[in-house]
Amino acid sequence: MINKRGEETRQVIKNCACVLFANKGFKQVTMKDICESAKISRGGLYCHYGSTQEIFKEIINDFMSQQGDTFSEKIAQNLSAIEILNDVLERYRKEMLDSQSSLSLAIYEYFSIEDNAGAKNELYTQYLASLNAWRALMEYGIKKGEFNDVDIVSVFNLIIFSYQGVRMYSKLMPIDEDIPRRIIEQIKKILVKE
């Protein structure tokens, strides 16, 4: 078991690595880069992690575990489904415009490595967890009479792949504020009852 100080060091390493992965992609980041960014010796880094893959995998798993609870907590509070949707779509809009903190390119590079690719990798697990969270929100909104009765999986795919596509493209070209705004407007038109 890792002590509190060890856990704090691991968090510093992951935070520094996350910034590097967002800026350089996955393949361009080395353990040396992470040592320099985290201001830790190579021995100190290798005491916690054996490779950039190990660090990146833990970063992805951390994101996955945080994401699943967002909707369920708000649904349990019986908040408006439209309010919950508006909150998440506003966060998505901001993230689509923030190319600096996007891990999309790094995620693509990481999962394009043969050992990480496959039908049951962390990315697919995250996709399924997100689908379940969005399904719960959409079913909740339909039941409350706030959302249209939609094909939940299709609408989820539209949301998630639009979002991820813009995040990926934002690393490769300038993204106008209008793009995320219009995507979000269309998602609301599909989901929210008039």
Side-chain angles (χ1 to χ4, degrees):
M1 185 168 157
I2 299 171
N3 63 24
K4 186 178 180 198
R5 184 176 159 103
E7 195 53 51
E8 288 171 359
T9 302
R10 288 175 72 87
Q11 194 57 53
V12 167
I13 292 167
K14 287 188 289 186
N15 290 345
C16 292
C18 194
V19 171
L20 290 168
F21 291 133
N23 289 332
K24 296 171 79 172
F26 174 74
K27 292 181 179 180
Q28 297 301 315
V29 175
T30 65
M31 292 295 270
K32 182 179 181 218
D33 294 333
I34 296 169
C35 287
E36 290 171 3
S37 178
K39 296 177 178 36
I40 189 170
S41 70
R42 285 181 81 80
L45 178 60
Y46 280 100
C47 178
H48 294 280
Y49 295 102
S51 67
T52 56
Q53 283 195 11
E54 193 178 320
I55 298 168
F56 193 76
K57 184 176 183 176
E58 195 166 306
I59 290 169
I60 295 298
N61 289 335
D62 288 352
F63 283 143
M64 284 191 325
S65 62
Q66 293 167 6
Q67 188 179 27
D69 298 332
T70 307
F71 292 154
S72 60
E73 290 171 10
K74 292 180 178 181
I75 290 170
Q77 295 170 10
N78 201 30
L79 296 178
S80 160
I82 295 171
E83 184 181 322
I84 298 168
L85 177 70
N86 286 339
D87 286 349
V88 74
L89 291 180
E90 177 57 19
R91 191 183 88 229
Y92 280 15
R93 185 190 68 75
K94 288 177 181 174
E95 289 174 1
M96 284 189 269
L97 292 169
D98 180 14
S99 65
Q100 296 306 307
S101 65
S102 174
L103 286 175
S104 295
L105 181 60
I107 289 169
Y108 173 78
E109 289 178 342
Y110 176 81
F111 286 106
S112 68
I113 296 169
E114 192 172 331
D115 290 347
N116 300 332
K120 301 233 175 163
N121 61 36
E122 291 88 1
L123 190 60
Y124 185 65
T125 302
Q126 182 180 12
Y127 168 85
L128 293 177
S130 294
L131 172 58
N132 289 333
W134 275 97
R135 176 181 281 128
L137 175 61
M138 286 188 237
E139 287 172 349
Y140 175 72
I142 292 166
K143 185 177 173 187
K144 284 184 73 97
E146 296 178 56
F147 289 173
N148 295 311
D149 191 3
V150 295
D151 177 339
I152 290 173
V153 175
S154 295
V155 173
F156 167 73
N157 284 330
L158 179 69
I159 292 167
I160 207 70
F161 292 120
S162 298
Y163 166 77
Q164 288 298 345
V166 173
R167 298 279 337 247
M168 174 69 81
Y169 271 80
S170 75
K171 297 297 283 181
L172 308 171
M173 65 181 242
I175 296 294
D176 183 284
E177 275 188 40
D178 222 26
I179 294 170
R181 183 187 58 76
R182 290 166 84 173
I183 289 170
I184 286 167
E185 283 175 5
Q186 291 306 308
I187 290 167
K188 288 180 183 179
K189 279 184 184 179
I190 291 167
L191 274 178
V192 178
K193 275 192 173 178
E194 295 204 15

